[in-house]
Amino acid sequence: MKRLLALLATCATILGLTALFSPPAMAATGCKVDFTVTSQWQGGFQAGVKVTNLGDSVNGWTLKIALPDAGQKLVQGWNATWSQSGSTVSAVGLDWNRTLATGAAADLGMVGSFTGANPKPTAFTLNGVACTGTVDGTTPPDPGGGGTTGTPVGVNGQLHVCGVNLCNQYNRPVQLRGMSTHGIQWFSKCYNGASLDALANNWKADLLRVAMYVQESGYETDPAGFTSRVNGLVDMAEARGMYAIIDFHTLTPGDPNFNLDRAKTFFASVAARNAGKKNVIYEIANEPNGVSWAAIKSYAEQVIPVIRANDPDAVVIVGTRGWSSLGVSDGSSESEIINSPVNATNIMYAFHFYAASHKDNYRAAVSRAASRLPLFVTEFGTVSATGGGSMDRASTTAWLDLLDQLKIGYANWTYSDANESSAAFRPGTCDGSDYSSSGVLTESGTLIKSRISTSDNFPTS
Ligand code: IDC
């Protein structure tokens, strides 16, 4: 660290960057920036930028990054408002991450282009204060940060569908257990370094489902902004060795074809951007409803090729009729899918349930379908289908026992502090920084955490 500081200081002097080290705007000073090049290619690179506030709490911050030369350009950045002036790149905190308590961190990321041999920055400041930190794609992660060795992605690598199962890099079936975000347009404050550290290390989750609503103030209102938010969450999951399901959260209207053009645009972008990653799974339509299986199949057969053209090897999950009930909620059944499957490989079908509403006849359908179709429970609740009401412990337990037995992966609705009984955290939790003590959990959160945090025993040969 001393060497790095000396290096940063020297570079700053040589490059005339003393302006970056102007008088502190925070009372007690201190910050740390971990700049990790996650991939590099001819003339370009992508980096995760973790900014930790070691000083007093700040309400608003500007990170400045000194690049080695002005020929290096910011191409794209996320989780902040990014700009560039000469060889200095600035990132300004957004509404949902502008407050950083002492010790709190914001996870940002950027894509850059460069002409020289070295894409790495030479200095950082936060609100004018010089930061310590690391600048290295190979720097060991912070203690407790996890790294990726021994994590779900570290062990299982790129997933694929084999028969009716999801298989890991050793071609062995795995069950992934994790949590779904709430709508990221409403609950972005719940998804930050501390909450994702808790999900990975304390909950020992394998998976984060990123629920990007399309309507209801979601994607359709700001396609570029939501695309970048999703990418930021993919990176945060990746940094912690978790898989990320990118959920195109269609709900109302229920016909996914209403959003076909948006889906093509969105998936072309996220698939191209995340093609090199091993942790991404695409879920192309959350809950088709009021629409035939034929219409859903037609949608899938138009969206999947767009994904494949950009990211050929990723698993894709297709929503099913009747709010992803395999048709059961519409009086149909899994046989319409078995008789007319989506014409694509490496895909799975979504099944959703809410334990207080969906019981034996739904479990029977899943039991039957599981030997014929690759299934993934990309969303379920312990409560009623409204997302509220009482938790049904007996039904939830029956469901999760069944999914464990069948090795069907699942994500619980929701990893949020929404004021509804399906939320895992008590209201107000996301205004603080404690996501791991038992006191912040709801009844549902307590039950689900106890199920998810048990050992995975992923097969490795
Ligand atoms: C619910 C949320 C609720 C929100 C509502 C409308 O819990 O806060 O107001 O959506 O968007 C689903 C959907 C999921 C629902 C959830 C609970 O995929 O978006 O979330 N649910 O109703 N399917 C069955 C239940």
Side-chain angles (χ1 to χ4, degrees), residues 15 18 24 26 33 49 67 127 140 151 166 234 238 244-245 247 249 277 326 340 364 374 383 390 399 423 433:
L15 297 169
T18 35
M26 285 188 290
V33 176
V49 185
L67 299 175
N127 289 357
T151 62
L166 182 62
V234 165
E238 182 189 41
I245 293 183
D247 163 31
H249 202 87
K277 297 184 188 291
L326 292 170
S340 179
V383 299
S390 313
W399 269 116
S433 55

PDB file of all heavy atoms in Angstrom, residues 15 18 24 26 33 49 67 127 140 151 166 234 238 244-245 247 249 277 326 340 364 374 383 390 399 423 433:
ATOM      1  N   LEU A  15       2.674  14.103 -13.594  1.00  0.00           N
ATOM      2  CA  LEU A  15       1.629  14.422 -14.567  1.00  0.00           C
ATOM      3  C   LEU A  15       0.960  15.768 -14.285  1.00  0.00           C
ATOM      4  O   LEU A  15       0.013  16.150 -14.946  1.00  0.00           O
ATOM      5  CB  LEU A  15       0.567  13.319 -14.601  1.00  0.00           C
ATOM      6  CG  LEU A  15       1.081  11.956 -15.056  1.00  0.00           C
ATOM      7  CD1 LEU A  15       0.034  10.883 -14.808  1.00  0.00           C
ATOM      8  CD2 LEU A  15       1.463  11.984 -16.523  1.00  0.00           C
ATOM      9  N   THR A  18      -1.640  17.909  -9.482  1.00  0.00           N
ATOM     10  CA  THR A  18      -1.824  18.405  -8.120  1.00  0.00           C
ATOM     11  C   THR A  18      -3.206  19.002  -7.925  1.00  0.00           C
ATOM     12  O   THR A  18      -3.728  19.022  -6.824  1.00  0.00           O
ATOM     13  CB  THR A  18      -0.732  19.445  -7.766  1.00  0.00           C
ATOM     14  OG1 THR A  18      -0.452  20.160  -8.958  1.00  0.00           O
ATOM     15  CG2 THR A  18       0.517  18.774  -7.257  1.00  0.00           C
ATOM     16  N   PRO A  24      -9.574  19.371   1.041  1.00  0.00           N
ATOM     17  CA  PRO A  24     -10.647  18.414   1.289  1.00  0.00           C
ATOM     18  C   PRO A  24     -12.012  19.070   1.457  1.00  0.00           C
ATOM     19  O   PRO A  24     -12.118  20.139   2.056  1.00  0.00           O
ATOM     20  CB  PRO A  24     -10.244  17.724   2.595  1.00  0.00           C
ATOM     21  CG  PRO A  24      -9.033  18.426   3.095  1.00  0.00           C
ATOM     22  CD  PRO A  24      -8.515  19.309   2.037  1.00  0.00           C
ATOM     23  N   MET A  26     -14.471  17.049   2.648  1.00  0.00           N
ATOM     24  CA  MET A  26     -15.049  16.272   3.752  1.00  0.00           C
ATOM     25  C   MET A  26     -14.298  16.669   5.019  1.00  0.00           C
ATOM     26  O   MET A  26     -13.111  16.948   4.970  1.00  0.00           O
ATOM     27  CB  MET A  26     -14.844  14.777   3.510  1.00  0.00           C
ATOM     28  CG  MET A  26     -15.759  14.200   2.460  1.00  0.00           C
ATOM     29  SD  MET A  26     -15.621  12.412   2.392  1.00  0.00           S
ATOM     30  CE  MET A  26     -13.991  12.206   1.712  1.00  0.00           C
ATOM     31  N   VAL A  33     -10.090   3.559  -3.142  1.00  0.00           N
ATOM     32  CA  VAL A  33     -10.671   3.186  -4.439  1.00  0.00           C
ATOM     33  C   VAL A  33      -9.997   1.914  -4.927  1.00  0.00           C
ATOM     34  O   VAL A  33      -8.769   1.851  -5.016  1.00  0.00           O
ATOM     35  CB  VAL A  33     -10.492   4.304  -5.486  1.00  0.00           C
ATOM     36  CG1 VAL A  33     -11.006   3.850  -6.846  1.00  0.00           C
ATOM     37  CG2 VAL A  33     -11.230   5.563  -5.047  1.00  0.00           C
ATOM     38  N   VAL A  49     -15.060  -0.248 -10.224  1.00  0.00           N
ATOM     39  CA  VAL A  49     -14.476   0.822  -9.416  1.00  0.00           C
ATOM     40  C   VAL A  49     -15.231   0.864  -8.095  1.00  0.00           C
ATOM     41  O   VAL A  49     -16.380   1.301  -8.041  1.00  0.00           O
ATOM     42  CB  VAL A  49     -14.589   2.185 -10.142  1.00  0.00           C
ATOM     43  CG1 VAL A  49     -13.866   3.264  -9.349  1.00  0.00           C
ATOM     44  CG2 VAL A  49     -14.055   2.107 -11.565  1.00  0.00           C
ATOM     45  N   LEU A  67      -6.296   9.533 -15.465  1.00  0.00           N
ATOM     46  CA  LEU A  67      -5.870   8.512 -16.425  1.00  0.00           C
ATOM     47  C   LEU A  67      -4.436   8.804 -16.863  1.00  0.00           C
ATOM     48  O   LEU A  67      -3.975   9.944 -16.781  1.00  0.00           O
ATOM     49  CB  LEU A  67      -6.815   8.523 -17.637  1.00  0.00           C
ATOM     50  CG  LEU A  67      -8.279   8.219 -17.312  1.00  0.00           C
ATOM     51  CD1 LEU A  67      -9.145   8.382 -18.551  1.00  0.00           C
ATOM     52  CD2 LEU A  67      -8.422   6.813 -16.747  1.00  0.00           C
ATOM     53  N   ASN A 127     -14.241  13.828  -3.523  1.00  0.00           N
ATOM     54  CA  ASN A 127     -14.518  15.188  -3.037  1.00  0.00           C
ATOM     55  C   ASN A 127     -13.210  15.943  -2.771  1.00  0.00           C
ATOM     56  O   ASN A 127     -13.069  16.639  -1.770  1.00  0.00           O
ATOM     57  CB  ASN A 127     -15.389  15.150  -1.776  1.00  0.00           C
ATOM     58  CG  ASN A 127     -16.816  14.731  -2.102  1.00  0.00           C
ATOM     59  OD1 ASN A 127     -17.157  14.532  -3.267  1.00  0.00           O
ATOM     60  ND2 ASN A 127     -17.643  14.589  -1.088  1.00  0.00           N
ATOM     61  N   PRO A 140      -5.747  -9.073  -4.662  1.00  0.00           N
ATOM     62  CA  PRO A 140      -6.687  -9.888  -3.895  1.00  0.00           C
ATOM     63  C   PRO A 140      -7.826  -9.026  -3.360  1.00  0.00           C
ATOM     64  O   PRO A 140      -7.600  -7.862  -3.031  1.00  0.00           O
ATOM     65  CB  PRO A 140      -5.851 -10.416  -2.726  1.00  0.00           C
ATOM     66  CG  PRO A 140      -4.439 -10.129  -3.073  1.00  0.00           C
ATOM     67  CD  PRO A 140      -4.422  -9.029  -4.082  1.00  0.00           C
ATOM     68  N   THR A 151     -16.444 -19.621  -4.762  1.00  0.00           N
ATOM     69  CA  THR A 151     -17.802 -19.061  -4.813  1.00  0.00           C
ATOM     70  C   THR A 151     -18.651 -19.891  -5.785  1.00  0.00           C
ATOM     71  O   THR A 151     -18.110 -20.722  -6.530  1.00  0.00           O
ATOM     72  CB  THR A 151     -17.765 -17.617  -5.333  1.00  0.00           C
ATOM     73  OG1 THR A 151     -17.235 -17.652  -6.669  1.00  0.00           O
ATOM     74  CG2 THR A 151     -16.920 -16.720  -4.458  1.00  0.00           C
ATOM     75  N   LEU A 166     -29.994 -27.990 -14.996  1.00  0.00           N
ATOM     76  CA  LEU A 166     -28.984 -26.955 -15.202  1.00  0.00           C
ATOM     77  C   LEU A 166     -27.674 -27.592 -14.762  1.00  0.00           C
ATOM     78  O   LEU A 166     -27.590 -28.139 -13.658  1.00  0.00           O
ATOM     79  CB  LEU A 166     -29.324 -25.749 -14.313  1.00  0.00           C
ATOM     80  CG  LEU A 166     -28.417 -24.530 -14.424  1.00  0.00           C
ATOM     81  CD1 LEU A 166     -28.457 -23.957 -15.839  1.00  0.00           C
ATOM     82  CD2 LEU A 166     -28.852 -23.473 -13.419  1.00  0.00           C
ATOM     83  N   VAL A 234     -25.103  -6.803 -12.516  1.00  0.00           N
ATOM     84  CA  VAL A 234     -24.426  -8.018 -13.006  1.00  0.00           C
ATOM     85  C   VAL A 234     -22.976  -8.022 -12.521  1.00  0.00           C
ATOM     86  O   VAL A 234     -22.465  -9.030 -12.027  1.00  0.00           O
ATOM     87  CB  VAL A 234     -24.481  -8.077 -14.550  1.00  0.00           C
ATOM     88  CG1 VAL A 234     -23.492  -9.100 -15.103  1.00  0.00           C
ATOM     89  CG2 VAL A 234     -25.894  -8.390 -15.025  1.00  0.00           C
ATOM     90  N   GLU A 238     -21.132 -10.557 -10.032  1.00  0.00           N
ATOM     91  CA  GLU A 238     -19.926 -11.249 -10.516  1.00  0.00           C
ATOM     92  C   GLU A 238     -18.758 -11.065  -9.549  1.00  0.00           C
ATOM     93  O   GLU A 238     -18.031 -12.018  -9.248  1.00  0.00           O
ATOM     94  CB  GLU A 238     -19.542 -10.700 -11.896  1.00  0.00           C
ATOM     95  CG  GLU A 238     -18.323 -11.386 -12.498  1.00  0.00           C
ATOM     96  CD  GLU A 238     -17.837 -10.686 -13.770  1.00  0.00           C
ATOM     97  OE1 GLU A 238     -17.826  -9.430 -13.812  1.00  0.00           O
ATOM     98  OE2 GLU A 238     -17.482 -11.391 -14.717  1.00  0.00           O
ATOM     99  N   ALA A 244     -26.185 -14.007 -11.975  1.00  0.00           N
ATOM    100  CA  ALA A 244     -27.186 -12.937 -12.092  1.00  0.00           C
ATOM    101  C   ALA A 244     -28.179 -13.345 -13.166  1.00  0.00           C
ATOM    102  O   ALA A 244     -27.784 -13.690 -14.283  1.00  0.00           O
ATOM    103  CB  ALA A 244     -26.504 -11.626 -12.468  1.00  0.00           C
ATOM    104  N   ILE A 245     -29.445 -13.351 -12.809  1.00  0.00           N
ATOM    105  CA  ILE A 245     -30.493 -13.553 -13.815  1.00  0.00           C
ATOM    106  C   ILE A 245     -30.966 -12.168 -14.235  1.00  0.00           C
ATOM    107  O   ILE A 245     -31.409 -11.377 -13.390  1.00  0.00           O
ATOM    108  CB  ILE A 245     -31.688 -14.349 -13.253  1.00  0.00           C
ATOM    109  CG1 ILE A 245     -31.274 -15.784 -12.930  1.00  0.00           C
ATOM    110  CG2 ILE A 245     -32.851 -14.345 -14.257  1.00  0.00           C
ATOM    111  CD1 ILE A 245     -32.428 -16.662 -12.432  1.00  0.00           C
ATOM    112  N   ASP A 247     -33.700 -10.281 -15.555  1.00  0.00           N
ATOM    113  CA  ASP A 247     -35.147 -10.512 -15.693  1.00  0.00           C
ATOM    114  C   ASP A 247     -35.803  -9.331 -16.398  1.00  0.00           C
ATOM    115  O   ASP A 247     -35.883  -8.231 -15.835  1.00  0.00           O
ATOM    116  CB  ASP A 247     -35.736 -10.711 -14.286  1.00  0.00           C
ATOM    117  CG  ASP A 247     -37.251 -10.544 -14.240  1.00  0.00           C
ATOM    118  OD1 ASP A 247     -37.927 -10.846 -15.244  1.00  0.00           O
ATOM    119  OD2 ASP A 247     -37.751 -10.116 -13.176  1.00  0.00           O
ATOM    120  N   HIS A 249     -38.757  -7.842 -16.799  1.00  0.00           N
ATOM    121  CA  HIS A 249     -39.911  -8.061 -15.918  1.00  0.00           C
ATOM    122  C   HIS A 249     -41.199  -7.514 -16.536  1.00  0.00           C
ATOM    123  O   HIS A 249     -41.763  -6.513 -16.073  1.00  0.00           O
ATOM    124  CB  HIS A 249     -39.630  -7.443 -14.547  1.00  0.00           C
ATOM    125  CG  HIS A 249     -40.448  -8.019 -13.429  1.00  0.00           C
ATOM    126  ND1 HIS A 249     -40.077  -9.139 -12.724  1.00  0.00           N
ATOM    127  CD2 HIS A 249     -41.633  -7.644 -12.892  1.00  0.00           C
ATOM    128  CE1 HIS A 249     -40.987  -9.416 -11.802  1.00  0.00           C
ATOM    129  NE2 HIS A 249     -41.950  -8.525 -11.887  1.00  0.00           N
ATOM    130  N   LYS A 277     -18.886 -12.974 -19.802  1.00  0.00           N
ATOM    131  CA  LYS A 277     -19.055 -13.356 -18.391  1.00  0.00           C
ATOM    132  C   LYS A 277     -19.649 -14.747 -18.267  1.00  0.00           C
ATOM    133  O   LYS A 277     -20.405 -15.191 -19.130  1.00  0.00           O
ATOM    134  CB  LYS A 277     -19.968 -12.348 -17.692  1.00  0.00           C
ATOM    135  CG  LYS A 277     -19.406 -10.943 -17.648  1.00  0.00           C
ATOM    136  CD  LYS A 277     -20.332 -10.033 -16.854  1.00  0.00           C
ATOM    137  CE  LYS A 277     -19.917  -8.580 -16.946  1.00  0.00           C
ATOM    138  NZ  LYS A 277     -18.652  -8.298 -16.255  1.00  0.00           N
ATOM    139  N   LEU A 326     -46.737 -22.549 -15.913  1.00  0.00           N
ATOM    140  CA  LEU A 326     -46.785 -23.671 -16.861  1.00  0.00           C
ATOM    141  C   LEU A 326     -48.206 -23.824 -17.417  1.00  0.00           C
ATOM    142  O   LEU A 326     -48.593 -24.903 -17.847  1.00  0.00           O
ATOM    143  CB  LEU A 326     -46.335 -24.994 -16.197  1.00  0.00           C
ATOM    144  CG  LEU A 326     -44.859 -25.096 -15.787  1.00  0.00           C
ATOM    145  CD1 LEU A 326     -44.620 -26.346 -14.924  1.00  0.00           C
ATOM    146  CD2 LEU A 326     -43.947 -25.129 -17.004  1.00  0.00           C
ATOM    147  N   SER A 340     -45.240 -28.577 -27.817  1.00  0.00           N
ATOM    148  CA  SER A 340     -44.820 -27.526 -28.745  1.00  0.00           C
ATOM    149  C   SER A 340     -43.720 -26.681 -28.095  1.00  0.00           C
ATOM    150  O   SER A 340     -43.914 -25.514 -27.761  1.00  0.00           O
ATOM    151  CB  SER A 340     -46.039 -26.651 -29.082  1.00  0.00           C
ATOM    152  OG  SER A 340     -45.677 -25.619 -29.954  1.00  0.00           O
ATOM    153  N   ALA A 364     -48.043 -30.702  -8.033  1.00  0.00           N
ATOM    154  CA  ALA A 364     -48.191 -31.898  -8.869  1.00  0.00           C
ATOM    155  C   ALA A 364     -47.735 -31.601 -10.298  1.00  0.00           C
ATOM    156  O   ALA A 364     -47.060 -32.427 -10.937  1.00  0.00           O
ATOM    157  CB  ALA A 364     -49.649 -32.369  -8.850  1.00  0.00           C
ATOM    158  N   PRO A 374     -36.760 -28.619 -18.681  1.00  0.00           N
ATOM    159  CA  PRO A 374     -35.845 -27.945 -17.752  1.00  0.00           C
ATOM    160  C   PRO A 374     -36.589 -26.772 -17.106  1.00  0.00           C
ATOM    161  O   PRO A 374     -37.092 -25.897 -17.816  1.00  0.00           O
ATOM    162  CB  PRO A 374     -34.714 -27.439 -18.654  1.00  0.00           C
ATOM    163  CG  PRO A 374     -34.928 -28.066 -19.996  1.00  0.00           C
ATOM    164  CD  PRO A 374     -36.379 -28.409 -20.088  1.00  0.00           C
ATOM    165  N   VAL A 383     -45.734 -16.023   0.546  1.00  0.00           N
ATOM    166  CA  VAL A 383     -47.017 -15.426   0.941  1.00  0.00           C
ATOM    167  C   VAL A 383     -48.032 -15.612  -0.182  1.00  0.00           C
ATOM    168  O   VAL A 383     -47.882 -16.506  -1.006  1.00  0.00           O
ATOM    169  CB  VAL A 383     -46.787 -13.942   1.308  1.00  0.00           C
ATOM    170  CG1 VAL A 383     -45.816 -13.818   2.485  1.00  0.00           C
ATOM    171  CG2 VAL A 383     -46.254 -13.158   0.099  1.00  0.00           C
ATOM    172  N   SER A 390     -50.368 -13.373   4.989  1.00  0.00           N
ATOM    173  CA  SER A 390     -49.523 -14.132   5.925  1.00  0.00           C
ATOM    174  C   SER A 390     -48.592 -15.071   5.183  1.00  0.00           C
ATOM    175  O   SER A 390     -48.934 -15.600   4.125  1.00  0.00           O
ATOM    176  CB  SER A 390     -50.377 -15.008   6.840  1.00  0.00           C
ATOM    177  OG  SER A 390     -51.427 -14.284   7.347  1.00  0.00           O
ATOM    178  N   TRP A 399     -42.837 -26.737  -0.784  1.00  0.00           N
ATOM    179  CA  TRP A 399     -42.293 -26.318  -2.082  1.00  0.00           C
ATOM    180  C   TRP A 399     -40.773 -26.455  -2.125  1.00  0.00           C
ATOM    181  O   TRP A 399     -40.211 -27.024  -3.069  1.00  0.00           O
ATOM    182  CB  TRP A 399     -42.670 -24.859  -2.364  1.00  0.00           C
ATOM    183  CG  TRP A 399     -43.946 -24.660  -3.100  1.00  0.00           C
ATOM    184  CD1 TRP A 399     -45.072 -24.039  -2.644  1.00  0.00           C
ATOM    185  CD2 TRP A 399     -44.240 -25.066  -4.448  1.00  0.00           C
ATOM    186  NE1 TRP A 399     -46.040 -24.037  -3.626  1.00  0.00           N
ATOM    187  CE2 TRP A 399     -45.548 -24.659  -4.741  1.00  0.00           C
ATOM    188  CE3 TRP A 399     -43.510 -25.742  -5.432  1.00  0.00           C
ATOM    189  CZ2 TRP A 399     -46.163 -24.890  -5.974  1.00  0.00           C
ATOM    190  CZ3 TRP A 399     -44.109 -25.982  -6.671  1.00  0.00           C
ATOM    191  CH2 TRP A 399     -45.408 -25.560  -6.931  1.00  0.00           C
ATOM    192  N   ALA A 423     -41.271  -9.309   1.395  1.00  0.00           N
ATOM    193  CA  ALA A 423     -39.925  -8.737   1.483  1.00  0.00           C
ATOM    194  C   ALA A 423     -39.125  -9.420   2.593  1.00  0.00           C
ATOM    195  O   ALA A 423     -39.666  -9.762   3.640  1.00  0.00           O
ATOM    196  CB  ALA A 423     -40.006  -7.246   1.742  1.00  0.00           C
ATOM    197  N   SER A 433     -27.091   0.400   6.998  1.00  0.00           N
ATOM    198  CA  SER A 433     -26.035  -0.371   6.339  1.00  0.00           C
ATOM    199  C   SER A 433     -25.949  -1.796   6.886  1.00  0.00           C
ATOM    200  O   SER A 433     -25.046  -2.535   6.539  1.00  0.00           O
ATOM    201  CB  SER A 433     -24.703   0.347   6.493  1.00  0.00           C
ATOM    202  OG  SER A 433     -24.462   0.591   7.860  1.00  0.00           O
TER     203      SER A 433
END
